[in-house]
Amino acid sequence: MKAVIMAGGKGTRLGQRTLDLPKPLVPVNGKPVLEHQIDNFARYGITEIWVVIGHLGEQIEQHLGDGSQYGVSIRYIREDRPLGTAGALHGMQETLGESFVLAYGDVVFDVNLGQMIDYHLAHHWLGTLAVHPNNHPYDSDVLKVGVDGTVQAIYPKNEKRDFDYRNCVNAGLFVLRSSLIAAIAPDAKQDLEKDVLTHLIAEGAIGAYKTTEYMKDMGTPDRFDKVQAHMEQGVVHAKNLSQKQKAIFLDRDGTINRYVGLVTNPDALELETFVIDALKRINDSSFLCIVVTNQPVVARNLCTEEEVDRIHDRMETLLGNEGAYVDDILYCPHHPDRGYPEENKAYKIACSCRKPGIGMVLEAAGRYNIDLSASYFIGDTTVDIQTGYNAQTTTILVGTGLGGSDDKYAIGPDYTAQHLLEAVDGILSGAFQPRSERKYVEHS
Ligand SMILES: [Zn+2]
């Protein structure tokens, strides 16, 4: 597999920090972004790399040379005038082989590329986009993705959104079939998203690869500082899915949003106090943040699964507007007790996902390579504590929502906290030690 890096853009928004450097050469933790990318490619055996250069391109060429110092072979596509992220690819179809990886030169990422490429090759799509939630979805290109992974719509960053949407952002890393290059006209400025992908999305030909791995553009001074700090702390590499991950599993109702009984429409969802701050702290750490919730509203026929999705659209919109996100949401739509007049029989089953069953936790653990003994479960009911215990995580009961008053299971938590922020602080400060690091683990 070969790779193309788009390094032709201008770096105007970084101001002072770029000095006179093109953005892809700006050092992060002592090394230009481009070198971090090349290292990531080389680790997965991608050693033939094309770099598209334009603005200040001669500096990039001078710095990277033929790539031999990095153990790769680098060639350049020189643009006399900017042809956009797609225009430069015209005529490259034969050269790039069946599929190739494409990255934007200002994105810092550390991704298990082998896994992403396998996923792409296992599907029929012309292109697979790496997608993830970020802390500024409101000014990012956001995608609507179906349950089978096909991208259904793209909402461009410069178009105002007056509707709820998932925090599912196009990260700027792609695996593309070279055949899509045939649609790119010669010598005309064309943008990959706007002029190529949008049409292919309408045809159902583009898929999304959802990952929790680190991918961040450093397009503004604030974002640059954050990336720099994450690189120093080792967060960037720690989130590569080839390595074991740590997660904080969160209950939803009563933990993230105010407890009001069953939530059957988006307007019933209101965030608990301190939740934004709590999630931001998790997002800033090396922990993943995964919501695991029972939603028997579906089995009771109070909601369809589509309506549950709309409630989650609202939740992610409220969080995203404030710069916070969750990495994934898993829910159980089932309920075991049959025989009620209004029920949706297809969902009235005994399943393994309904908490305190650990089906959802195991599903997430498989998807994201999570070490459960280094992970936490936070919730407001004894059902959550029992789930966390069953999954061998460390459990924290919060005082919001039911605050443990459901009394369904005779089990005590490992720790208690007033609210989500106090719980997260306890974890990140080291006060709430995980099971994996405690000598004695006792449960009542
Ligand atoms: Zn279930």
Side-chain angles (χ1 to χ4, degrees):
M1 181 97 29
K2 297 169 189 174
V4 174
I5 302 174
M6 292 290 168
K10 291 187 181 181
T12 47
R13 282 200 295 173
L14 269 180
Q16 282 292 329
R17 284 173 177 73
T18 61
L19 308 169
D20 286 324
L21 293 172
K23 206 154 54 164
L25 278 188
V26 173
V28 179
N29 215 19
K31 208 159 86 171
V33 181
L34 277 175
E35 283 189 39
H36 290 292
Q37 295 188 340
I38 290 165
D39 284 352
N40 195 175
F41 287 136
R43 263 189 283 140
Y44 292 90
I46 300 168
T47 54
E48 274 188 64
I49 300 171
W50 292 84
V51 182
V52 178
I53 51 173
H55 177 66
L56 304 174
E58 61 290 345
Q59 287 187 49
I60 292 175
E61 229 180 306
Q62 214 162 49
H63 187 95
L64 299 179
D66 64 1
S68 52
Q69 55 179 320
Y70 312 107
V72 300
S73 155
I74 297 176
R75 277 170 286 181
Y76 298 90
I77 302 168
R78 299 171 192 87
E79 292 187 324
D80 303 330
R81 59 192 180 82
L83 289 174
T85 43
L89 294 175
H90 173 76
M92 294 287 287
Q93 190 169 343
E94 297 297 314
T95 315
L96 291 172
E98 202 273 332
S99 286
F100 64 99
V101 182
L102 185 144
Y104 288 160
D106 61 347
V107 181
V108 170
F109 59 83
D110 196 320
V111 169
N112 183 338
L113 290 166
Q115 192 171 304
M116 181 176 172
I117 290 165
D118 286 348
Y119 178 86
H120 166 78
L121 295 177
H123 290 83
H124 60 277
W125 301 313
L126 279 175
T128 303
L129 282 53
V131 300
H132 68 155
N134 76 5
N135 62 1
H136 54 99
Y138 46 82
D139 69 354
S140 303
D141 286 337
V142 167
L143 303 163
K144 183 169 187 254
V145 179
V147 280
D148 68 344
T150 303
V151 178
Q152 298 171 337
I154 182 165
Y155 308 127
K157 58 184 159 199
N158 46 11
E159 283 176 19
K160 194 159 168 54
R161 294 170 206 144
D162 55 0
F163 50 86
D164 295 330
Y165 58 92
R166 278 304 176 86
N167 187 340
C168 181
V169 173
N170 172 15
L173 180 66
F174 313 79
V175 188
L176 304 173
R177 292 198 198 273
S178 302
S179 55
L180 70 69
I181 293 175
I184 297 169
D187 236 15
K189 190 170 179 187
Q190 290 149 95
D191 180 73
L192 184 62
E193 278 89 357
K194 197 157 53 88
D195 301 311
V196 180
L197 294 182
T198 305
H199 302 295
L200 295 174
I201 286 169
E203 293 166 14
I206 299 296
Y209 176 68
K210 204 169 177 234
T211 178
T212 54
E213 291 164 304
Y214 201 93
M215 301 179 282
K216 218 182 245 303
D217 75 86
M218 22 151 266
T220 66
D222 276 359
R223 283 174 211 162
F224 175 84
D225 290 344
K226 195 149 244 187
V227 171
Q228 171 72 33
H230 285 153
M231 189 75 86
E232 280 170 14
Q233 293 154 9
V235 172
V236 178
H237 189 53
K239 286 200 163 172
N240 185 305
L241 287 179
S242 65
Q243 304 179 78
K244 279 288 176 194
Q245 302 295 303
K246 308 184 284 184
I248 299 176
F249 292 96
L250 297 176
D251 168 51
R252 196 190 83 183
D253 303 332
T255 304
I256 293 176
N257 52 288
R258 291 228 160 85
Y259 181 77
V260 292
L262 298 172
V263 177
T264 56
N265 71 80
D267 292 335
L269 189 117
E270 192 187 336
L271 297 177
E272 265 291 348
T273 324
F274 307 125
V275 160
I276 298 286
D277 285 340
L279 295 185
K280 280 182 169 178
R281 286 193 204 183
I282 301 175
N283 300 157
D284 226 8
S285 75
S286 56
F287 282 92
L288 306 182
C289 175
I290 294 172
V291 179
V292 172
T293 175
N294 286 349
Q295 291 303 323
V297 285
V298 178
R300 290 178 59 175
N301 222 4
L302 299 168
C303 256
T304 61
E305 291 216 54
E306 289 69 34
E307 284 163 332
V308 173
D309 281 339
R310 283 215 288 278
I311 291 165
H312 291 152
D313 290 347
R314 173 67 58 86
M315 188 171 97
E316 294 209 342
T317 303
L318 292 174
L319 295 173
N321 286 344
E322 303 296 329
Y325 62 86
V326 295
D327 286 292
D328 207 347
I329 303 172
L330 292 89
Y331 71 90
C332 163
H334 310 115
H335 195 277
D337 305 331
R338 299 186 77 145
Y340 295 88
E342 310 269 279
E343 67 192 15
N344 185 336
K345 287 202 167 48
Y347 294 91
K348 281 282 187 176
I349 55 166
C351 63
S352 60
C353 44
R354 183 172 162 82
K355 297 185 289 185
I358 59 170
M360 293 187 282
V361 174
L362 293 181
E363 168 73 27
R367 215 180 273 178
Y368 304 118
N369 195 18
I370 294 168
D371 174 3
L372 294 174
S373 73
S375 300
Y376 294 81
F377 202 109
I378 305 177
D380 70 316
T381 66
T382 60
V383 176
D384 295 312
I385 302 310
Q386 186 67 53
T387 310
Y389 176 79
N390 292 346
Q392 300 190 307
T393 62
T394 301
T395 57
I396 306 172
L397 180 72
V398 286
T400 51
L402 292 174
S405 67
D406 61 308
D407 284 332
K408 283 199 180 131
Y409 295 90
I411 186 165
D414 294 307
Y415 303 101
T416 57
Q418 289 296 308
H419 45 67
L420 188 57
L421 181 58
E422 198 179 290
V424 170
D425 274 348
I427 295 169
L428 298 181
S429 70
F432 294 172
Q433 287 275 297
R435 297 166 69 91
S436 56
E437 286 174 26
R438 274 176 294 152
K439 281 212 176 80
Y440 304 100
V441 180
E442 278 183 43
H443 278 279
S444 56

